[in-house]
Amino acid sequence: MSAIYNFNAGPAILPAPVLERAQHEMRDYQGRGMSILEMSHRSPEYETINAEAAERLKRLLDIGEEYHVLFLQGGASMQFAMLPLNALPPDTSADYILTGAWAEKAYEEALRVGRARAAASTADNSYRSVPSQADLALDPNAAYVHITSNETIQGVQWHAWPDVGDVPLVADMSSDILSRPLETQRFALIYAGAQKNLGPAGVTIVVIHDAFLRRTSPNLPVMLRYVTHVKNRSLYNTPPVFAVYMVNLVLAWIEEQGGLAAIEERNRRKAATLYQVIDASDSFYRGHAAPEHRSLMNVTFRLPDETLEKRFVAEATAQGMVGLAGHRSVGGIRASIYNAMAQEGCDALAAFMTDFMRRNG
């Protein structure tokens, strides 16, 4: 195979050793003579995978038995509704901090379920930043405060968590979970679609504190209750077996890299490689996010005009760098450099950016 650098925002690049092991085990998992895709989710083999993945995630997040790890379906978009259905009583409201397109979607879904407030928004600066602590108009009686830790479309990221007092803090971490060490104890609930940093599409991770779980509503359809999935260890119904198997392999790979501190160092180097080209380009490349709020996962920028942007994407694709077109709602360029992207890929893109500017600037 020729070398391809995959900058897609999701489903995204997976570690090569993980794909190679999955390929090796595809037809015959651990001598069973069948694929993990064919095995019962009640089999000892799958129950081991399920338990291993949960324990690995707890180790990486440095959490204990007070937290529960769930493997659900429906993506983060399902969690936009499942969270308020479980945790937003009719006699209260929830605070949402709006920092981009995905925070907006979570907020809009909460409004369909109950009462929600926009406690802060950076929409007036086209979501180039996250709000300062002084900009937060938080309700001390809110059911929870919701943030989106990293916005894939706008390319902004929280680098310091907001102080929300005694109100439970909830985060959509779909695009930056396990990209850096995390003060997990500050969060009552974290959810993340796996298809960016954890595995393939099809499984959603939910990490929920026991105290927050006890506050959730029992008056829901069984499949929509967090309690159902905690009691059944994510095995109430047939789970996305292969996706969880892949998550387990990715978690093992992260541990082999040295854990989250080593992953963060690697991610900072990769992001700096690209941001340095942008900052040195004399505005030929214009980064969307304010420098202090730039994402380490999604580097977003514009060129002088859309014609050049289309040429940039076409030429990069011809050189084996795929997935660089910005989200259809905003255009521009987006390089998604999740955990599995090697430094080599960012070096290749930086060299291409420099050459493209030389030829077109």
Side-chain angles (χ1 to χ4, degrees), residues 305-339:
D305 58 61
E306 291 186 10
T307 299
L308 276 177
E309 289 172 349
K310 291 178 180 177
R311 187 184 305 166
F312 181 99
V313 171
E315 290 188 14
T317 301
Q319 294 189 30
M321 289 170 276
V322 301
L324 286 166
H327 191 271
R328 60 186 180 278
S329 65
V330 297
I333 308 297
R334 172 175 57 180
S336 296
I337 52 173
Y338 302 121
N339 287 350

mmCIF file of all heavy atoms in Angstrom, residues 305-339:
data_model
loop_
_atom_site.group_PDB
_atom_site.id
_atom_site.type_symbol
_atom_site.label_atom_id
_atom_site.label_comp_id
_atom_site.label_asym_id
_atom_site.label_seq_id
_atom_site.Cartn_x
_atom_site.Cartn_y
_atom_site.Cartn_z
ATOM 1 N N ASP A 305 -8.563 32.803 -0.696
ATOM 2 C CA ASP A 305 -9.876 32.690 -1.333
ATOM 3 C C ASP A 305 -10.235 31.213 -1.495
ATOM 4 O O ASP A 305 -9.396 30.330 -1.346
ATOM 5 C CB ASP A 305 -9.903 33.414 -2.689
ATOM 6 C CG ASP A 305 -8.852 32.899 -3.667
ATOM 7 O OD1 ASP A 305 -8.901 31.695 -4.007
ATOM 8 O OD2 ASP A 305 -7.974 33.689 -4.075
ATOM 9 N N GLU A 306 -11.493 30.957 -1.815
ATOM 10 C CA GLU A 306 -12.000 29.585 -1.902
ATOM 11 C C GLU A 306 -11.381 28.822 -3.068
ATOM 12 O O GLU A 306 -11.234 27.596 -2.990
ATOM 13 C CB GLU A 306 -13.523 29.596 -2.015
ATOM 14 C CG GLU A 306 -14.219 30.053 -0.733
ATOM 15 C CD GLU A 306 -15.724 29.917 -0.812
ATOM 16 O OE1 GLU A 306 -16.222 29.295 -1.781
ATOM 17 O OE2 GLU A 306 -16.413 30.417 0.096
ATOM 18 N N THR A 307 -11.033 29.525 -4.125
ATOM 19 C CA THR A 307 -10.398 28.840 -5.257
ATOM 20 C C THR A 307 -9.071 28.222 -4.822
ATOM 21 O O THR A 307 -8.765 27.068 -5.165
ATOM 22 C CB THR A 307 -10.172 29.828 -6.415
ATOM 23 O OG1 THR A 307 -11.431 30.341 -6.845
ATOM 24 C CG2 THR A 307 -9.477 29.137 -7.582
ATOM 25 N N LEU A 308 -8.284 28.976 -4.072
ATOM 26 C CA LEU A 308 -7.027 28.441 -3.564
ATOM 27 C C LEU A 308 -7.271 27.299 -2.588
ATOM 28 O O LEU A 308 -6.506 26.327 -2.559
ATOM 29 C CB LEU A 308 -6.213 29.548 -2.890
ATOM 30 C CG LEU A 308 -5.342 30.429 -3.791
ATOM 31 C CD1 LEU A 308 -4.661 31.506 -2.962
ATOM 32 C CD2 LEU A 308 -4.306 29.594 -4.537
ATOM 33 N N GLU A 309 -8.320 27.399 -1.795
ATOM 34 C CA GLU A 309 -8.627 26.322 -0.841
ATOM 35 C C GLU A 309 -8.944 25.020 -1.569
ATOM 36 O O GLU A 309 -8.482 23.943 -1.175
ATOM 37 C CB GLU A 309 -9.790 26.744 0.061
ATOM 38 C CG GLU A 309 -9.389 27.831 1.059
ATOM 39 C CD GLU A 309 -10.547 28.411 1.839
ATOM 40 O OE1 GLU A 309 -11.709 28.141 1.478
ATOM 41 O OE2 GLU A 309 -10.290 29.133 2.822
ATOM 42 N N LYS A 310 -9.723 25.111 -2.639
ATOM 43 C CA LYS A 310 -10.043 23.907 -3.410
ATOM 44 C C LYS A 310 -8.781 23.324 -4.057
ATOM 45 O O LYS A 310 -8.606 22.107 -4.110
ATOM 46 C CB LYS A 310 -11.090 24.238 -4.470
ATOM 47 C CG LYS A 310 -12.468 24.550 -3.885
ATOM 48 C CD LYS A 310 -13.463 24.916 -4.974
ATOM 49 C CE LYS A 310 -14.830 25.219 -4.367
ATOM 50 N NZ LYS A 310 -15.818 25.661 -5.395
ATOM 51 N N ARG A 311 -7.910 24.210 -4.551
ATOM 52 C CA ARG A 311 -6.653 23.743 -5.146
ATOM 53 C C ARG A 311 -5.771 23.089 -4.091
ATOM 54 O O ARG A 311 -5.138 22.061 -4.343
ATOM 55 C CB ARG A 311 -5.921 24.917 -5.801
ATOM 56 C CG ARG A 311 -4.683 24.504 -6.608
ATOM 57 C CD ARG A 311 -3.948 25.739 -7.136
ATOM 58 N NE ARG A 311 -4.846 26.584 -7.915
ATOM 59 C CZ ARG A 311 -4.559 27.838 -8.257
ATOM 60 N NH1 ARG A 311 -3.409 28.391 -7.880
ATOM 61 N NH2 ARG A 311 -5.406 28.541 -8.973
ATOM 62 N N PHE A 312 -5.739 23.687 -2.913
ATOM 63 C CA PHE A 312 -4.954 23.139 -1.802
ATOM 64 C C PHE A 312 -5.411 21.714 -1.484
ATOM 65 O O PHE A 312 -4.592 20.794 -1.390
ATOM 66 C CB PHE A 312 -5.135 24.038 -0.573
ATOM 67 C CG PHE A 312 -4.369 23.606 0.656
ATOM 68 C CD1 PHE A 312 -3.158 24.197 0.979
ATOM 69 C CD2 PHE A 312 -4.876 22.627 1.514
ATOM 70 C CE1 PHE A 312 -2.457 23.812 2.120
ATOM 71 C CE2 PHE A 312 -4.184 22.233 2.647
ATOM 72 C CZ PHE A 312 -2.969 22.824 2.950
ATOM 73 N N VAL A 313 -6.711 21.521 -1.346
ATOM 74 C CA VAL A 313 -7.241 20.193 -1.019
ATOM 75 C C VAL A 313 -6.941 19.199 -2.135
ATOM 76 O O VAL A 313 -6.523 18.060 -1.874
ATOM 77 C CB VAL A 313 -8.761 20.278 -0.743
ATOM 78 C CG1 VAL A 313 -9.362 18.878 -0.614
ATOM 79 C CG2 VAL A 313 -9.029 21.086 0.525
ATOM 80 N N ALA A 314 -7.133 19.615 -3.371
ATOM 81 C CA ALA A 314 -6.905 18.710 -4.508
ATOM 82 C C ALA A 314 -5.436 18.304 -4.607
ATOM 83 O O ALA A 314 -5.113 17.114 -4.804
ATOM 84 C CB ALA A 314 -7.355 19.380 -5.800
ATOM 85 N N GLU A 315 -4.526 19.267 -4.462
ATOM 86 C CA GLU A 315 -3.106 18.939 -4.570
ATOM 87 C C GLU A 315 -2.638 18.101 -3.383
ATOM 88 O O GLU A 315 -1.826 17.188 -3.554
ATOM 89 C CB GLU A 315 -2.282 20.226 -4.670
ATOM 90 C CG GLU A 315 -2.474 20.961 -5.993
ATOM 91 C CD GLU A 315 -1.499 22.124 -6.144
ATOM 92 O OE1 GLU A 315 -0.516 22.208 -5.360
ATOM 93 O OE2 GLU A 315 -1.716 22.963 -7.044
ATOM 94 N N ALA A 316 -3.142 18.408 -2.195
ATOM 95 C CA ALA A 316 -2.774 17.611 -1.025
ATOM 96 C C ALA A 316 -3.253 16.178 -1.187
ATOM 97 O O ALA A 316 -2.524 15.224 -0.885
ATOM 98 C CB ALA A 316 -3.363 18.234 0.239
ATOM 99 N N THR A 317 -4.469 16.024 -1.688
ATOM 100 C CA THR A 317 -5.012 14.678 -1.905
ATOM 101 C C THR A 317 -4.148 13.902 -2.893
ATOM 102 O O THR A 317 -3.860 12.715 -2.696
ATOM 103 C CB THR A 317 -6.458 14.758 -2.400
ATOM 104 O OG1 THR A 317 -7.259 15.451 -1.426
ATOM 105 C CG2 THR A 317 -7.035 13.365 -2.641
ATOM 106 N N ALA A 318 -3.725 14.569 -3.957
ATOM 107 C CA ALA A 318 -2.878 13.920 -4.958
ATOM 108 C C ALA A 318 -1.549 13.477 -4.367
ATOM 109 O O ALA A 318 -0.929 12.533 -4.864
ATOM 110 C CB ALA A 318 -2.644 14.880 -6.128
ATOM 111 N N GLN A 319 -1.123 14.132 -3.279
ATOM 112 C CA GLN A 319 0.124 13.757 -2.619
ATOM 113 C C GLN A 319 -0.105 12.832 -1.422
ATOM 114 O O GLN A 319 0.803 12.618 -0.616
ATOM 115 C CB GLN A 319 0.886 15.017 -2.186
ATOM 116 C CG GLN A 319 1.366 15.860 -3.361
ATOM 117 C CD GLN A 319 2.309 16.978 -2.931
ATOM 118 O OE1 GLN A 319 3.032 16.855 -1.948
ATOM 119 N NE2 GLN A 319 2.302 18.069 -3.671
ATOM 120 N N GLY A 320 -1.328 12.286 -1.301
ATOM 121 C CA GLY A 320 -1.594 11.293 -0.264
ATOM 122 C C GLY A 320 -2.022 11.851 1.067
ATOM 123 O O GLY A 320 -2.012 11.122 2.064
ATOM 124 N N MET A 321 -2.447 13.113 1.119
ATOM 125 C CA MET A 321 -2.943 13.719 2.350
ATOM 126 C C MET A 321 -4.434 13.961 2.177
ATOM 127 O O MET A 321 -4.852 14.875 1.460
ATOM 128 C CB MET A 321 -2.189 15.021 2.647
ATOM 129 C CG MET A 321 -0.745 14.780 3.070
ATOM 130 S SD MET A 321 0.277 16.268 3.146
ATOM 131 C CE MET A 321 0.782 16.411 1.424
ATOM 132 N N VAL A 322 -5.250 13.111 2.809
ATOM 133 C CA VAL A 322 -6.683 13.114 2.549
ATOM 134 C C VAL A 322 -7.451 13.673 3.743
ATOM 135 O O VAL A 322 -6.961 13.689 4.869
ATOM 136 C CB VAL A 322 -7.187 11.687 2.228
ATOM 137 C CG1 VAL A 322 -6.465 11.118 1.022
ATOM 138 C CG2 VAL A 322 -7.021 10.755 3.436
ATOM 139 N N GLY A 323 -8.683 14.145 3.461
ATOM 140 C CA GLY A 323 -9.575 14.586 4.523
ATOM 141 C C GLY A 323 -9.323 15.994 5.009
ATOM 142 O O GLY A 323 -9.687 16.326 6.144
ATOM 143 N N LEU A 324 -8.748 16.863 4.192
ATOM 144 C CA LEU A 324 -8.351 18.200 4.643
ATOM 145 C C LEU A 324 -9.398 19.282 4.386
ATOM 146 O O LEU A 324 -9.225 20.412 4.849
ATOM 147 C CB LEU A 324 -7.031 18.608 3.981
ATOM 148 C CG LEU A 324 -5.795 17.901 4.552
ATOM 149 C CD1 LEU A 324 -4.598 18.089 3.640
ATOM 150 C CD2 LEU A 324 -5.486 18.421 5.954
ATOM 151 N N ALA A 325 -10.462 18.987 3.682
ATOM 152 C CA ALA A 325 -11.495 19.999 3.461
ATOM 153 C C ALA A 325 -12.189 20.308 4.776
ATOM 154 O O ALA A 325 -12.510 19.415 5.567
ATOM 155 C CB ALA A 325 -12.510 19.510 2.433
ATOM 156 N N GLY A 326 -12.446 21.586 5.027
ATOM 157 C CA GLY A 326 -13.167 21.982 6.229
ATOM 158 C C GLY A 326 -14.596 21.463 6.221
ATOM 159 O O GLY A 326 -15.108 21.020 5.188
ATOM 160 N N HIS A 327 -15.241 21.526 7.375
ATOM 161 C CA HIS A 327 -16.628 21.074 7.464
ATOM 162 C C HIS A 327 -17.491 21.839 6.477
ATOM 163 O O HIS A 327 -17.283 23.032 6.234
ATOM 164 C CB HIS A 327 -17.145 21.282 8.891
ATOM 165 C CG HIS A 327 -18.461 20.627 9.152
ATOM 166 N ND1 HIS A 327 -19.664 21.261 8.926
ATOM 167 C CD2 HIS A 327 -18.763 19.388 9.628
ATOM 168 C CE1 HIS A 327 -20.663 20.443 9.257
ATOM 169 N NE2 HIS A 327 -20.144 19.304 9.681
ATOM 170 N N ARG A 328 -18.465 21.163 5.898
ATOM 171 C CA ARG A 328 -19.290 21.761 4.840
ATOM 172 C C ARG A 328 -20.000 23.034 5.312
ATOM 173 O O ARG A 328 -20.358 23.894 4.495
ATOM 174 C CB ARG A 328 -20.329 20.747 4.339
ATOM 175 C CG ARG A 328 -21.295 20.260 5.411
ATOM 176 C CD ARG A 328 -22.196 19.150 4.907
ATOM 177 N NE ARG A 328 -23.115 18.679 5.942
ATOM 178 C CZ ARG A 328 -22.801 17.808 6.874
ATOM 179 N NH1 ARG A 328 -21.578 17.285 6.896
ATOM 180 N NH2 ARG A 328 -23.691 17.426 7.784
ATOM 181 N N SER A 329 -20.209 23.187 6.617
ATOM 182 C CA SER A 329 -20.931 24.359 7.120
ATOM 183 C C SER A 329 -20.064 25.613 7.179
ATOM 184 O O SER A 329 -20.593 26.726 7.243
ATOM 185 C CB SER A 329 -21.494 24.068 8.521
ATOM 186 O OG SER A 329 -20.445 23.864 9.459
ATOM 187 N N VAL A 330 -18.738 25.452 7.181
ATOM 188 C CA VAL A 330 -17.853 26.616 7.321
ATOM 189 C C VAL A 330 -16.794 26.705 6.229
ATOM 190 O O VAL A 330 -16.205 27.769 6.028
ATOM 191 C CB VAL A 330 -17.158 26.627 8.705
ATOM 192 C CG1 VAL A 330 -18.184 26.756 9.818
ATOM 193 C CG2 VAL A 330 -16.289 25.388 8.909
ATOM 194 N N GLY A 331 -16.516 25.624 5.533
ATOM 195 C CA GLY A 331 -15.499 25.645 4.490
ATOM 196 C C GLY A 331 -14.088 25.720 5.063
ATOM 197 O O GLY A 331 -13.837 25.362 6.214
ATOM 198 N N GLY A 332 -13.163 26.201 4.248
ATOM 199 C CA GLY A 332 -11.778 26.303 4.685
ATOM 200 C C GLY A 332 -11.084 24.958 4.725
ATOM 201 O O GLY A 332 -11.471 24.001 4.040
ATOM 202 N N ILE A 333 -10.038 24.889 5.564
ATOM 203 C CA ILE A 333 -9.211 23.694 5.682
ATOM 204 C C ILE A 333 -9.250 23.224 7.137
ATOM 205 O O ILE A 333 -9.253 24.032 8.063
ATOM 206 C CB ILE A 333 -7.746 23.982 5.288
ATOM 207 C CG1 ILE A 333 -7.676 24.656 3.902
ATOM 208 C CG2 ILE A 333 -6.915 22.702 5.313
ATOM 209 C CD1 ILE A 333 -8.200 23.819 2.765
ATOM 210 N N ARG A 334 -9.267 21.913 7.308
ATOM 211 C CA ARG A 334 -9.214 21.330 8.654
ATOM 212 C C ARG A 334 -8.314 20.102 8.620
ATOM 213 O O ARG A 334 -8.572 19.160 7.878
ATOM 214 C CB ARG A 334 -10.608 20.942 9.144
ATOM 215 C CG ARG A 334 -10.590 20.161 10.449
ATOM 216 C CD ARG A 334 -11.984 19.887 10.975
ATOM 217 N NE ARG A 334 -12.820 19.175 10.034
ATOM 218 C CZ ARG A 334 -14.093 18.828 10.272
ATOM 219 N NH1 ARG A 334 -14.657 19.163 11.419
ATOM 220 N NH2 ARG A 334 -14.794 18.174 9.362
ATOM 221 N N ALA A 335 -7.281 20.136 9.440
ATOM 222 C CA ALA A 335 -6.400 18.982 9.603
ATOM 223 C C ALA A 335 -6.680 18.366 10.969
ATOM 224 O O ALA A 335 -6.379 18.984 11.992
ATOM 225 C CB ALA A 335 -4.940 19.393 9.494
ATOM 226 N N SER A 336 -7.269 17.192 10.972
ATOM 227 C CA SER A 336 -7.549 16.503 12.232
ATOM 228 C C SER A 336 -6.372 15.589 12.547
ATOM 229 O O SER A 336 -6.043 14.696 11.766
ATOM 230 C CB SER A 336 -8.851 15.709 12.119
ATOM 231 O OG SER A 336 -9.940 16.598 11.913
ATOM 232 N N ILE A 337 -5.746 15.836 13.684
ATOM 233 C CA ILE A 337 -4.478 15.168 14.023
ATOM 234 C C ILE A 337 -4.642 14.435 15.358
ATOM 235 O O ILE A 337 -3.945 14.716 16.327
ATOM 236 C CB ILE A 337 -3.305 16.168 14.045
ATOM 237 C CG1 ILE A 337 -3.614 17.380 14.933
ATOM 238 C CG2 ILE A 337 -3.006 16.631 12.634
ATOM 239 C CD1 ILE A 337 -2.413 18.318 15.115
ATOM 240 N N TYR A 338 -5.558 13.496 15.381
ATOM 241 C CA TYR A 338 -5.861 12.746 16.596
ATOM 242 C C TYR A 338 -4.674 11.894 17.045
ATOM 243 O O TYR A 338 -3.628 11.855 16.386
ATOM 244 C CB TYR A 338 -7.105 11.879 16.365
ATOM 245 C CG TYR A 338 -8.330 12.676 15.969
ATOM 246 C CD1 TYR A 338 -8.981 12.440 14.760
ATOM 247 C CD2 TYR A 338 -8.829 13.670 16.803
ATOM 248 C CE1 TYR A 338 -10.108 13.166 14.396
ATOM 249 C CE2 TYR A 338 -9.954 14.401 16.442
ATOM 250 C CZ TYR A 338 -10.593 14.150 15.236
ATOM 251 O OH TYR A 338 -11.699 14.877 14.880
ATOM 252 N N ASN A 339 -4.854 11.204 18.155
ATOM 253 C CA ASN A 339 -3.752 10.456 18.768
ATOM 254 C C ASN A 339 -2.975 9.584 17.781
ATOM 255 O O ASN A 339 -1.756 9.478 17.860
ATOM 256 C CB ASN A 339 -4.294 9.565 19.886
ATOM 257 C CG ASN A 339 -4.685 10.345 21.120
ATOM 258 O OD1 ASN A 339 -4.405 11.530 21.248
ATOM 259 N ND2 ASN A 339 -5.345 9.673 22.055
#
